[in-house]
Amino acid sequence: MDLIRHLRCFLAVAEERHFGRAAELLGMAQPPLSQRIQRLERELGVRLFERTSRQVTITAAGTMLLEDARLLLARADALTATARRIREGESGLLRAALPPDLAAEAIAAILAAFRQHRPGVELELHELSTTEQLARFTSRELDVGLVRHPCDIAGLELGPVLLRELGVLLPGGAPAAALDEVPLAALTGYGLVLFPRAEAPALHDDVLNTCARGGYTPATVRQGSGTGFVRGLVLSANAVAFAPRDTAPDDAAGPHADIVWRPLAGAPLAWRHSVAWPRGRGDAAVGAFAEAASRALWNTAAMTADAPARPLHLRPAAEYWL
Amino acid sequence: MNDTRRRIAAAFTEAGVSGRLHAVDIDSGTEIDAGADHPVVTASVHKLCLLVALHQQAAAGLLDLTEQVECPPADRSAGPTGLAAMLDPVRMSLRDAAYLMTAVSDNAAADLLLARLGLDAVNGATARLGLTRTRAVHPSFRSLFATIRKDAGPAGASALADPRVLARLRALDPARSNRSTPRDMTRLLTAVWRDEACTPEHGVAIRRLLGLQVWPHRMAAGFPFDDVHVAGKTGSLPTVRNEVGVIEYPDGGRYAVAVFTRAANPAATLPAADAVIGTAARIAVDALRARP
């Protein structure tokens, strides 16, 4: 008996609770599906489902076996993915992407952690924006990457979501610079320097929306990405900018000594990252990269786990209800 | 054509969504294809299939649209509109339940009709019209929402802001949820408007209900013209915003348009993501109308 194939049938019926729908999901007819389930029950010596004319319910024994079945199938998928990599002549090479704004220290930590766990796999690193990463997942030119949310996650599997809380860069002479923590509303009167909207429209809008929600509607929004340019605008254009702590300047001598970094009160803004890979293509090397990147970012980039949930008021036009 | 597709793609990107669209001139068959054959999650757009199935059964004499159904509050599917939001016992006709299901996407009314017809009748109706890529797999809207609750875990709706939770929702995977393609949906609308889905008498009834839909924020927003008629059915789930409908101009031009989107931002309130459905539909209809 092909145990993996039979377990896939078991899982499909357990999830769909319907032989017809499970058969459709598996791309097979219903009678052979029923036969496979019976065969699996004989082989395991355990009854997995109770069947009545109208419905299928999983037995207590079936429930106990379900988690093991899931784990076994996930391992089987990983094995197949590794085999495919070997077959496609890419054995020992993992194509991975990191976003441009990651600190050198974080990148070094990812590389070190990955090498330690997967010494036999060569890591081919690319510096790519989230949009570029998603395009390369589709064209199968990339195995794994570190994306910034929100982005279109259809067809992707994700690692844990990590938060890089944002603070504000402001001129040292600004009244708000005297505060230990700056409420968004205290930035009123200053313009905002933000990355170009075309880079990530959803995130751009989300930042401005959060500012407005916090009582800060910038008089002007200027485009800027490069660290030096952003700081130049903060000094010259009566503007502020948001930046994670790990990219903040030290309050010390240097070309931008007149700029200070302060945390935002209540941490309303954050960059959210997670490792992502195309669904069904995660293998051991991808897993090792996900683990290495999550761990390294946690340690170096002042990452935290997800923020506490805010109230959610679904409006009637949402159509769904939970 | 390429310029139209490029403008539609730019509008979707600008609004922070991934979108698929198919638009077709109901009388000439001329079309705009911007991802028309991409598998999509239908969500409440599938209520249109249910609406057509109901009228087909009525046309076949299998049920009477004035037949009364009981909707006791205890066993009502939850939702923010219509019967689903009401507190007291209700008794109404099948066709009035169909009105609530269509006009305000009433989940309880839809589940009453689904219970009366059965899932096979809905899939039979779409199959007979040749919609080979359209399929309802959830026996009720209640069961569709139950998969979301189960996949979201104990944190409930607030967990839906987490991309990792969204990535594992079965309800958002066309392989495991109610599904179709933009092309299948314009084909269904074309059949309804050409009286090929059921008898002319029932066609009128379906078109009336689709014209009574209350939502102004999606497809209708793209056509701010008092002399243009918009009829349609929306569908929404976390990150999913859809609408399929027919736009009718006073010169007789009529266009079936299906737009299915996924927003990058998991927020529930995203006016720009709703409005781009109208923007994209308008670009497509303008292009169809400009054809000689």
Side-chain angles (χ1 to χ4, degrees):
Chain A
M1 187 186 72
D2 179 344
L3 181 64
I4 296 296
R5 183 179 294 179
H6 282 70
L7 286 178
R8 267 188 223 291
C9 297
F10 168 46
L11 198 63
V13 176
E15 284 180 351
E16 294 294 323
R17 281 168 292 160
H18 190 279
F19 274 94
R21 288 198 297 275
E24 194 195 348
L25 198 69
L26 295 163
M28 62 193 295
Q30 194 172 327
L33 175 62
S34 299
Q35 285 161 18
R36 275 193 198 164
I37 296 292
Q38 285 164 13
R39 173 105 197 267
L40 184 63
E41 288 179 325
R42 277 202 307 276
E43 184 83 17
L44 297 174
V46 161
R47 191 159 176 80
L48 299 170
F49 297 104
E50 295 297 345
R51 307 156 179 83
T52 66
S53 57
R54 288 184 56 82
Q55 58 182 8
V56 186
T57 45
I58 189 163
T59 60
T63 308
M64 282 191 267
L65 292 171
L66 196 56
E67 199 45 44
D68 278 346
R70 283 208 177 97
L71 286 173
L72 201 53
L73 289 172
R75 296 308 306 156
D77 288 342
L79 183 141
T80 314
T82 307
R84 184 185 57 236
R85 195 189 303 287
I86 294 167
R87 211 166 50 235
E88 290 173 357
E90 288 163 6
S91 171
L93 177 72
L94 184 74
R95 300 163 303 176
L98 292 172
D101 75 332
L102 214 56
E105 187 194 341
I107 295 173
I110 292 172
L111 285 173
F114 183 79
R115 288 211 184 100
Q116 193 188 338
H117 288 99
R118 289 269 129 187
V121 179
E122 189 192 336
L123 197 57
E124 184 187 286
L125 270 187
H126 301 263
E127 184 187 67
L128 298 172
S129 73
T130 295
T131 313
E132 291 166 331
Q133 291 184 40
L134 297 184
R136 293 204 190 183
F137 284 144
T138 308
S139 60
R140 302 208 159 176
E141 293 169 276
L142 187 66
D143 300 313
V144 63
L146 183 68
V147 298
R148 183 159 73 178
H149 298 287
C151 64
D152 182 4
I153 53 163
L156 298 183
E157 288 182 58
L158 302 178
V161 178
L162 300 165
L163 250 73
R164 259 164 114 191
E165 281 175 13
L166 298 185
V168 61
L169 291 170
L170 66 177
L179 303 169
D180 291 336
E181 284 195 327
V182 179
L184 280 170
L187 301 174
T188 299
Y190 287 89
L192 177 65
V193 188
L194 195 56
F195 61 86
R197 187 171 183 277
E199 248 175 45
L203 181 61
H204 189 275
D205 294 356
D206 202 39
V207 170
L208 290 181
N209 208 32
T210 304
C211 287
R213 175 68 185 79
Y216 167 48
T217 303
T220 53
V221 180
R222 305 279 299 265
Q223 283 191 8
S225 287
T227 318
F229 184 71
V230 168
R231 288 177 188 172
L233 283 179
V234 168
L235 282 180
S236 66
N238 195 40
V240 299
F242 300 121
R245 186 192 293 272
D246 54 294
T247 63
D250 296 324
D251 285 0
H256 297 300
D258 318 349
I259 292 187
V260 297
W261 182 93
R262 293 284 177 269
L264 287 165
L269 288 168
W271 296 151
R272 303 162 87 206
H273 297 269
S274 68
V275 176
W277 59 95
R279 188 177 288 159
R281 293 180 76 87
D283 61 7
V286 166
F289 181 84
E291 173 73 22
S294 304
R295 191 173 297 243
L297 290 173
W298 187 274
N299 292 333
T300 61
M303 294 273 182
T304 60
D306 218 335
R310 290 179 302 162
L312 169 66
H313 299 294
L314 282 178
R315 297 175 187 176
E319 296 185 87
Y320 61 91
W321 201 254
L322 298 175
Chain B
M1 178 66 192
N2 280 334
D3 178 56
T4 304
R5 276 215 298 256
R6 192 186 49 71
R7 290 179 57 211
I8 290 169
F12 285 140
T13 305
E14 165 83 14
V17 307
S18 309
R20 327 278 172 187
L21 173 148
H22 189 239
V24 62
D25 182 323
I26 288 177
D27 297 295
S28 74
T30 320
E31 60 170 351
I32 304 286
D33 169 353
D37 297 304
H38 196 87
V40 292
V41 167
T42 46
S44 289
V45 163
H46 230 100
K47 289 168 185 164
L48 170 62
C49 305
L50 177 52
L51 182 66
V52 171
L54 176 77
H55 285 82
Q56 284 189 350
Q57 299 244 316
L62 295 170
L63 54 81
D64 178 350
L65 289 170
T66 62
E67 178 185 318
Q68 299 286 307
V69 280
E70 299 286 346
C71 183
D75 191 34
R76 218 172 263 176
S77 299
T81 59
L83 297 178
M86 294 183 192
L87 302 175
D88 296 315
V90 173
R91 176 182 162 86
M92 63 166 59
S93 66
L94 289 177
R95 62 184 179 183
D96 282 349
Y99 157 71
L100 285 174
M101 167 182 82
T102 313
V104 293
S105 206
D106 183 343
N107 293 319
D111 281 351
L112 273 184
L113 295 174
L114 258 174
R116 177 70 176 75
L117 265 68
L119 200 57
D120 290 346
V122 177
N123 287 325
T126 49
R128 270 193 301 282
L129 289 165
L131 313 182
T132 55
R133 303 187 60 194
T134 301
R135 189 141 189 94
V137 300
H138 301 288
S140 64
F141 282 86
R142 185 207 304 251
S143 65
L144 164 61
F145 302 139
T147 70
I148 298 182
R149 262 199 307 279
K150 184 154 176 254
D151 295 347
S158 57
L160 298 175
D162 181 346
R164 204 183 191 189
V165 173
L166 284 171
R168 66 166 185 247
L169 292 189
R170 283 169 285 169
L172 304 187
D173 181 358
R176 296 188 289 176
S177 193
N178 290 358
R179 56 183 167 266
S180 185
T181 62
R183 188 188 302 280
D184 262 10
M185 285 297 104
T186 57
R187 189 166 178 174
L188 176 58
L189 288 167
T190 299
V192 168
W193 256 255
R194 293 170 69 103
D195 281 332
E196 292 162 3
C198 42
T199 66
E201 169 205 347
H202 292 103
V204 168
I206 296 174
R207 295 193 290 271
R208 180 183 85 93
L209 294 182
L210 291 168
L212 288 173
Q213 184 182 226
V214 299
W215 313 124
H217 58 325
R218 294 200 181 153
M219 198 169 287
F223 301 87
F225 313 123
D226 285 351
D227 61 342
V228 170
H229 187 255
V230 181
K233 181 71 202 81
T234 57
S236 316
L237 285 174
T239 72
V240 168
R241 286 170 182 77
N242 307 328
E243 187 163 355
V244 307
V246 169
I247 316 297
E248 294 173 277
Y249 279 71
D251 63 4
R254 42 187 199 161
Y255 314 91
V257 189
V259 187
F260 293 84
T261 73
R262 287 284 306 265
N265 190 334
T269 308
L270 285 178
D274 290 312
V276 75
I277 290 176
T279 309
R282 170 78 174 284
I283 295 169
V285 168
D286 281 352
L288 288 174
R289 286 176 65 74
R291 299 270 174 88

Coordinates of all heavy atoms in Angstrom, one line a residue, chain A residues 4 6-8 10-11 40 62-76:
Chain A
I4 N 1.6 7.2 1.8 CA 1.4 8.6 1.6 C 0.2 8.9 0.8 O -0.6 9.8 1.2 CB 2.7 9.1 0.8 CG1 3.9 8.9 1.7 CG2 2.5 10.6 0.5 CD1 3.9 9.7 3.0
H6 N -2.5 7.2 0.4 CA -3.7 6.8 1.2 C -4.0 7.9 2.3 O -5.1 8.2 2.6 CB -3.6 5.4 1.8 CG -3.9 4.4 0.7 ND1 -3.0 4.1 -0.3 CD2 -5.0 3.5 0.6 CE1 -3.6 3.1 -1.0 NE2 -4.7 2.7 -0.5
L7 N -2.9 8.4 2.9 CA -3.0 9.4 3.9 C -3.5 10.7 3.3 O -4.3 11.4 4.0 CB -1.7 9.6 4.6 CG -1.2 8.5 5.6 CD1 0.1 8.8 6.2 CD2 -2.3 8.3 6.7
R8 N -3.2 11.0 2.1 CA -3.7 12.2 1.5 C -5.2 12.1 1.3 O -5.9 13.1 1.5 CB -3.1 12.4 0.1 CG -1.8 13.3 0.1 CD -1.4 13.6 -1.3 NE 0.1 13.5 -1.3 CZ 0.9 14.3 -0.7 NH1 0.4 15.3 0.0 NH2 2.2 14.2 -0.7
F10 N -7.1 10.3 3.3 CA -7.6 10.4 4.7 C -7.8 11.9 5.0 O -8.8 12.3 5.5 CB -6.7 9.7 5.6 CG -6.9 10.0 7.1 CD1 -8.1 9.9 7.7 CD2 -5.8 10.3 7.9 CE1 -8.3 10.1 9.0 CE2 -5.9 10.5 9.2 CZ -7.2 10.4 9.8
L11 N -6.7 12.7 4.8 CA -6.7 14.1 5.1 C -7.8 14.9 4.4 O -8.5 15.7 5.0 CB -5.4 14.7 4.8 CG -5.0 16.0 5.5 CD1 -5.0 15.8 7.0 CD2 -3.7 16.5 5.0
L40 N -7.1 1.7 3.9 CA -6.3 2.3 4.9 C -6.8 1.9 6.3 O -6.0 1.6 7.2 CB -6.3 3.9 4.8 CG -5.5 4.7 5.7 CD1 -4.0 4.4 5.5 CD2 -5.7 6.2 5.6
G62 N -9.7 8.4 14.4 CA -9.2 9.2 13.2 C -8.6 10.5 13.7 O -7.6 11.0 13.1
T63 N -9.3 11.2 14.6 CA -8.8 12.5 15.1 C -7.4 12.3 15.7 O -6.5 13.2 15.5 CB -9.8 13.1 16.2 OG1 -11.1 13.0 15.6 CG2 -9.4 14.5 16.5
M64 N -7.2 11.2 16.4 CA -5.9 11.0 17.1 C -4.8 10.8 16.0 O -3.6 11.2 16.2 CB -5.9 9.8 18.0 CG -6.6 10.1 19.3 SD -6.4 8.8 20.5 CE -7.9 7.9 20.2
L65 N -5.1 10.3 14.9 CA -4.1 10.0 13.8 C -3.9 11.2 12.9 O -3.0 11.2 12.1 CB -4.6 8.8 13.0 CG -4.5 7.5 13.8 CD1 -5.2 6.3 13.0 CD2 -3.1 7.1 14.1
L66 N -4.9 12.1 12.9 CA -4.9 13.2 11.9 C -3.6 14.1 12.0 O -3.0 14.3 11.0 CB -6.1 14.1 12.2 CG -6.5 15.1 11.1 CD1 -6.7 14.3 9.8 CD2 -7.8 15.8 11.5
E67 N -3.1 14.4 13.2 CA -2.0 15.3 13.3 C -0.7 14.6 12.8 O 0.1 15.2 12.1 CB -1.8 15.7 14.8 CG -0.9 16.9 15.0 CD -1.2 18.1 14.0 OE1 -2.4 18.4 13.8 OE2 -0.3 18.7 13.4
D68 N -0.6 13.3 13.1 CA 0.6 12.5 12.6 C 0.5 12.4 11.1 O 1.5 12.5 10.4 CB 0.6 11.1 13.2 CG 1.2 11.1 14.6 OD1 1.9 12.1 15.0 OD2 1.1 10.1 15.3
A69 N -0.7 12.3 10.6 CA -0.8 12.2 9.1 C -0.4 13.5 8.5 O 0.3 13.5 7.5 CB -2.3 11.9 8.8
R70 N -0.8 14.6 9.1 CA -0.4 15.9 8.5 C 1.1 16.1 8.6 O 1.7 16.5 7.6 CB -1.0 17.1 9.4 CG -2.5 17.3 9.1 CD -2.9 18.7 9.4 NE -4.3 18.9 9.1 CZ -5.3 18.9 10.0 NH1 -5.0 18.7 11.2 NH2 -6.6 19.1 9.6
L71 N 1.7 15.7 9.7 CA 3.2 15.9 9.8 C 3.9 15.0 8.8 O 4.8 15.5 8.1 CB 3.6 15.5 11.2 CG 3.3 16.5 12.3 CD1 3.7 15.9 13.7 CD2 4.1 17.8 12.1
L72 N 3.4 13.8 8.6 CA 4.0 12.9 7.7 C 3.9 13.4 6.3 O 4.9 13.4 5.5 CB 3.3 11.5 7.8 CG 4.1 10.3 7.3 CD1 5.5 10.2 8.0 CD2 3.3 9.0 7.6
L73 N 2.8 13.9 5.9 CA 2.6 14.5 4.6 C 3.4 15.7 4.3 O 4.0 15.9 3.2 CB 1.1 14.8 4.3 CG 0.2 13.5 4.2 CD1 -1.3 13.9 4.2 CD2 0.6 12.7 3.0
A74 N 3.6 16.5 5.4 CA 4.4 17.7 5.2 C 5.9 17.3 5.0 O 6.6 17.9 4.1 CB 4.3 18.6 6.5
R75 N 6.3 16.3 5.7 CA 7.7 15.8 5.5 C 7.8 15.2 4.1 O 8.8 15.4 3.4 CB 8.1 14.7 6.5 CG 8.1 15.2 8.0 CD 9.0 16.4 8.2 NE 10.3 16.2 7.7 CZ 11.1 17.3 7.3 NH1 10.6 18.5 7.4 NH2 12.3 17.1 6.8
A76 N 6.8 14.5 3.6 CA 6.8 13.9 2.3 C 6.9 15.0 1.2 O 7.7 14.9 0.3 CB 5.6 13.0 2.1

